[in-house]
C-alpha cells in the first residue's frame, strides 16, 4: 500500500461529505417527523390504529435496508415513471433511509416513554392533568432526555447506512461512491476504501463526542449516572 | 359540621382480587383522620380510589359536595391535594416549577400569581431557599416537603397523604412531620395513612384501623392506648416492638 495513494484518495473522497451528510440529516429529519407521528398514534389513538403503527415499525425493522432502497427506487420510482414522475437516486435514497429511520426512531420514542415510571402518570392524574397535558408537560420532556443517546446513535447509524444508497448511483456522489470511483480509476482498492473508512470514522466519532456533550447538557440535574467508559 | 369526604359502601378490586370491601367513612371539615393498618390491607388502594386513580367497583364517594363520577372527576381532583409515599416530584422541573405547573395548567392561574403562591407554600415547608433546585438534588425529606408544598399550593379542600414519611431515613422523618403538624394546625382537612403513633396522638381527631380491606376499628386517638379489638391491639404491639 502506498501512503501517497491513500492521502490522494482521502482528498478525493472528502468531496463526498456534503452528499453523505445531506442524506443522513434529511433522512434523520424525515425519520423524526414520521417517528413522532407513529409515537403519537400509539400514545393517543385506540388499539386498532396503534396496531397499524406497530405493523409499520415491524415491516421496516424486519427487512434489509438495501431491499427497501431498491423497492423505493426501482419499484415505486419505476411505477411513478409511468405517470411521468421521475425520482432521482438522491431523493429515493433520502425517502428510503427516512422511512426506515422512522421505524427505529418510533421504537426509540416508545421505549423512552415506557421507561418513565407509572407513578409519574399517576401523579399527573391526581393533579387533574388531562392526557394531552400529561404528555406535553410531564412525559415528553422526560422521554426526550431518555431518548437522546439512542437518537444520536441513530444519527450515526444513518451516516454509515447512507453508504448503501451509493448502489443506486446517487449524485453528486457520496463518500462511498467517490471511493468506488477512485478505486476503479487507479486500481488502488485498499487505499480508496480505507480512505472512505477513515472519513466515516472521523465523522461518526465526532458525532459520538458531540452527543456526549449534548447528553450532559440536557441531563436531568441530580440524576446520578454510573461512570461507564 | 359538614363532611368534606363521604364514602359509602366502597368496593375496589384489581381484577378478581378484592382489596377494599365495603368501606364507609366521613371526614368532616377541618378534621384530621389517620388511617393505620398492616401492609397490604388496602390503605393505598383506598386512598387512591377516592379520586379514581384506581376506579372503584362500586360505592359512592362525595368530595366537597361533588359526587365523584366520570364527568366530575377533574373537578374533584382539583380540590384534592395528594401526597405520595415516594414524593413523585417531576424530576425534570425545578422545585418551584413542580408547584407552578398544576397551578397554571390545571387551575388556570396567571404565572405571576402561581409563582407567588408557590413561594408561600415553599416558605411554609421551609424550602424557600431551594426553589431553584431540581428534585433529585434534594434529600428525601426535602423532596417530600416540596411534594407537600405542591399539594397545599392548590389550596385543597382535603389533603390526602399516603405514608408520607415511610420512605424516609429515620433522621428525616421529623422534619416532614413538623411541617404536617403546622399544616394541620392551620385547619386543613387531612386524611393521612401513617404509622407514626406520636404524630397521630398529637394531630389526629380520629384514628381508623384498616385490615383486610375493611375498617376494623375507629375512634379518637385514645384508642391507640386502649384498642377495643384484639387485631388492633396486636398490630400496635408489633408496631411498638419495631419502633422501640
Ligand atoms: N396495581 C395493583 N395491581 C394489582 N394488585 C395490587 C395493585 N396495587 C396493590 N395491589 C394489591 O392490593 C393489596 C392492597 O395493596 P395496598 O393498597 O398497596 O395496601 P397497603 O397500602 O395497605 O399496603 C395488596 O395485596 C397488593 O398486592
Ligand atoms: Mg400503601
Amino acid at each position: 500500500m502506498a501512503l501517497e495513494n491513500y492521502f490522494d484518495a482521502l482528498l478525493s473522497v472528502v468531496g463526498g461529505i456534503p452528499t453523505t451528510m445531506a442524506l443522513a440529516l434529511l433522512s434523520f429529519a424525515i425519520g423524526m417527523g414520521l417517528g413522532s407521528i407513529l409515537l403519537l398514534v400509539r400514545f393517543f389513538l385506540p388499539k386498532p390504529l396503534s396496531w397499524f403503527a406497530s405493523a409499520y415499525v415491524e415491516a421496516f425493522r424486519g427487512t434489509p435496508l438495501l431491499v427497501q432502497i431498491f423497492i423505493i427506487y426501482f419499484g415505486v420510482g419505476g411505477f411513478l415513471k409511468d405517470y411521468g414522475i421521475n425520482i432521482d437516486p438522491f431523493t429515493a435514497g433520502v425517502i428510503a433511509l427516512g422511512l426506515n429511520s422512522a421505524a427505529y426512531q418510533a421504537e426509540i420514542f416508545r421505549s423512552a416513554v415506557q421507561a418513565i415510571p407509572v407513578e409519574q402518570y399517576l401523579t399527573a392524574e391526581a393533579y387533574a392533568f388531562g392526557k394531552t397535558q400529561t404528555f406535553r408537560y410531564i412525559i415528553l420532556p422526560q422521554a426526550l432526555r431518555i431518548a437522546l443517546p439512542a437518537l444520536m446513535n441513530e444519527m450515526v447509524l444513518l451516516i454509515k447506512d447512507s453508504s448503501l444508497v451509493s448502489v443506486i448511483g446517487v449524485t453528486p456522489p457520496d463518500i462511498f461512491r467517490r471511493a468506488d470511483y477512485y478505486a476503479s480509476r487507479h486500481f488502488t482498492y485498499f487505499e480508496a476504501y480505507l480512505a472512505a473508512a477513515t472519513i466515516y470514522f472521523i465523522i461518526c466519532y465526532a458525532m459520538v463526542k458531540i452527543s456526549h456533550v449534548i447528553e450532559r447538557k440536557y441531563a436531568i440535574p441530580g440524576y446520578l449516572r454510573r461512570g461507564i467508559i | 359540621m359538614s363532611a368534606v369526604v363521604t364514602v359509602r359502601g366502597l368496593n375496589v378490586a384489581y381484577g378478581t382480587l378484592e382489596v377494599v370491601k365495603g368501606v364507609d367513612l366521613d371526614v368532616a371539615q377541618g378534621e384530621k383522620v389517620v388511617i393505620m393498618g398492616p401492609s397490604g390491607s388496602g390503605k393505598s388502594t383506598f386512598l387512591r380510589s377516592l379520586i379514581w386513580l384506581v376506579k372503584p367497583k362500586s360505592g359512592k364517594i362525595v368530595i366537597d359536595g361533588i359526587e365523584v363520577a366520570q364527568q366530575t372527576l377533574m373537578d374533584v381532583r382539583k380540590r384534592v391535594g395528594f401526597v405520595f409515599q415516594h414524593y413523585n416530584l417531576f424530576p425534570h422541573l425545578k422545585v418551584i416549577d413542580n408547584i407552578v405547573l398544576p397551578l397554571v395548567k390545571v387551575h388556570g392561574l396567571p404565572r405571576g400569581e402561581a409563582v407567588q403562591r408557590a413561594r408561600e407554600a415553599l416558605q411554609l415547608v421551609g424550602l424557600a431557599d431551594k426553589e431553584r433546585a431540581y428534585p433529585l438534588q434534594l434529600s428525601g425529606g426535602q423532596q417530600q416537603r416540596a411534594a407537600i408544598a405542591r399539594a397545599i399550593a392548590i389550596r385543597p379542600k382535603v389533603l390526602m397523604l399516603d405514608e408520607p414519611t415511610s420512605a424516609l431515613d429515620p433522621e428525616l422523618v421529623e422534619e416532614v412531620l413538623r411541617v404536617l403538624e403546622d399544616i394541620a394546625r392551620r385547619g386543613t382537612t387531612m386524611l393521612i395513612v401513617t404509622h407514626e403513633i406520636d404524630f397521630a396522638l398529637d394531630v389526629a381527631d380520629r384514628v381508623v384501623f384498616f385490615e383486610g380491606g375493611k375498617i376494623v376499628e375507629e375512634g379518637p386517638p385514645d384508642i391507640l392506648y386502649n384498642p377495643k379489638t384484639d387485631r388492633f391491639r396486636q398490630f400496635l404491639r408489633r408496631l411498638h416492638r419495631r419502633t422501640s
Side-chain angles (χ1 to χ4, degrees):
Chain A
M1 171 188 139
L3 207 54
E4 60 265 42
N5 284 343
Y6 170 68
F7 283 114
D8 192 43
L10 266 183
L11 286 176
S12 166
V13 169
V14 158
I17 291 176
T19 300
T20 292
M21 289 311 285
L23 282 168
L25 288 170
L26 287 172
S27 53
F28 186 76
I30 290 175
M32 176 155 289
L34 193 53
S36 317
I37 292 171
L38 290 169
L39 173 72
L40 294 176
V41 167
R42 283 164 151 186
F43 194 89
F44 286 107
L45 299 186
K47 277 268 148 55
L49 286 164
S50 108
W51 188 84
F52 273 110
S54 304
Y56 176 95
V57 169
E58 295 315 329
F60 276 87
R61 287 205 306 176
T63 52
L65 177 55
L66 191 59
V67 174
Q68 293 163 19
I69 292 170
F70 274 50
I71 289 176
I72 299 289
Y73 183 61
F74 295 110
V76 178
F79 176 78
L80 290 176
K81 196 171 270 169
D82 295 343
Y83 296 90
I85 304 167
N86 263 314
I87 299 185
D88 61 289
F90 182 86
T91 309
V94 165
I95 291 172
L97 283 171
L99 293 178
N100 179 274
S101 185
Y104 284 94
Q105 293 194 47
E107 274 305 285
I108 290 168
F109 290 140
R110 186 185 59 78
S111 61
V113 165
Q114 282 180 344
I116 295 168
V118 67
E119 297 257 294
Q120 291 283 307
Y121 291 91
L122 214 56
T123 309
E125 272 187 68
Y127 280 83
F129 286 90
K131 194 164 187 192
T132 312
Q133 289 179 319
T134 301
F135 183 77
R136 165 77 183 76
Y137 300 113
I138 292 153
I139 303 306
L140 189 63
Q142 295 187 63
L144 283 178
R145 286 170 166 91
I146 295 169
L148 206 54
L151 283 177
M152 296 303 283
N153 185 56
E154 172 65 12
M155 181 70 208
V156 169
L157 290 177
L158 277 173
I159 291 170
K160 293 188 288 184
D161 284 350
S162 69
S163 60
L164 285 173
V165 175
S166 68
V167 299
I168 56 173
V170 67
T171 49
D174 68 323
I175 293 170
F176 184 67
R177 193 143 189 252
R178 277 189 167 255
D180 237 6
Y181 284 157
Y182 190 91
S184 48
R185 225 179 312 126
H186 300 85
F187 303 106
T188 52
Y189 298 96
F190 192 63
E191 290 87 341
Y193 293 127
L194 200 61
T198 306
I199 306 286
Y200 280 117
F201 177 78
I202 289 171
I203 297 174
C204 291
Y205 190 74
M207 290 298 299
V208 168
K209 287 292 156 194
I210 291 169
S211 85
H212 287 167
V213 173
I214 296 177
E215 279 164 38
R216 228 165 290 145
K217 181 167 154 52
Y218 288 101
I220 290 173
Y223 190 88
L224 296 179
R225 34 174 92 232
R226 296 260 172 269
I228 296 172
I229 315 240
Chain B
M1 259 194 293
S2 62
V4 176
V5 179
T6 305
V7 181
R8 288 288 174 273
L10 189 68
N11 290 290
V12 189
Y14 297 106
T16 55
L17 178 70
E18 290 178 30
V19 175
V20 177
K21 303 166 188 167
V23 169
D24 299 319
L25 185 74
D26 288 299
V27 183
Q29 174 76 49
E31 197 181 14
K32 282 73 167 148
V33 175
V34 162
I35 300 175
M36 293 186 174
S39 174
S41 60
K43 306 178 299 294
S44 297
T45 303
F46 170 70
L47 212 58
R48 289 174 178 201
S49 71
L50 296 182
I51 53 170
W52 283 26
L53 296 178
V54 186
K55 200 171 164 182
K57 286 285 168 294
S58 62
K60 181 172 160 174
I61 302 160
V62 181
I63 292 176
D64 196 30
I66 305 173
E67 178 164 357
V68 184
Q70 201 59 57
Q71 315 87 266
T72 60
L73 194 52
M74 288 305 183
D75 216 16
V76 168
R77 285 175 176 171
K78 283 188 201 173
R79 293 154 196 259
V80 175
F82 208 98
V83 175
F84 294 86
Q85 187 174 357
H86 296 103
Y87 344 124
N88 296 6
L89 293 165
F90 305 126
H92 60 296
L93 297 176
K94 293 190 184 86
V95 164
I96 185 122
D97 292 325
N98 262 275
I99 305 171
V100 164
L101 188 72
L103 293 179
V104 171
K105 299 301 171 191
V106 176
H107 295 261
L109 259 63
R111 212 190 143 73
E113 200 175 314
V115 169
Q116 175 109 17
R117 251 210 227 181
R119 292 206 168 117
E120 283 164 20
L122 283 171
Q123 189 88 40
L124 202 86
V125 302
L127 283 179
D129 57 330
K130 294 289 183 195
E131 66 168 63
R132 303 191 65 77
Y134 284 85
L136 298 177
Q137 297 172 320
L138 302 178
S139 72
Q142 290 171 326
Q143 288 188 55
Q144 191 59 297
R145 284 189 280 146
I148 291 167
R150 178 173 65 182
I152 58 173
I154 65 172
R155 299 194 178 151
K157 292 291 188 292
V158 52
L159 193 55
M160 298 182 182
L161 306 103
D162 187 5
E163 301 207 39
T165 59
S166 60
L168 298 174
D169 292 335
E171 71 269 24
L172 302 176
V173 169
E174 206 52 44
E175 66 183 53
V176 172
L177 291 182
R178 259 201 307 276
V179 162
L180 291 178
E181 280 164 20
D182 264 4
I183 292 167
R185 234 172 276 127
R186 293 157 64 95
T188 313
T189 308
M190 292 163 90
L191 191 50
I192 316 160
V193 177
T194 183
H195 293 147
E196 297 292 334
I197 303 262
D198 290 336
F199 174 80
L201 287 168
D202 284 352
V203 166
D205 298 303
R206 190 150 45 106
V207 173
V208 170
F209 177 60
F210 226 83
E211 198 183 55
K214 291 181 176 145
I215 294 178
V216 173
E217 182 170 348
E218 66 178 304
D222 296 358
I223 64 170
L224 290 167
Y225 293 122
N226 202 0
K228 290 193 284 287
T229 59
D230 285 344
R231 328 195 70 158
F232 194 22
R233 189 187 310 279
Q234 271 167 20
F235 171 80
L236 287 169
R237 199 177 297 142
R238 241 176 283 135
L239 195 64
H240 214 72
R241 218 177 295 142
R242 195 150 40 97
T243 48
S244 57

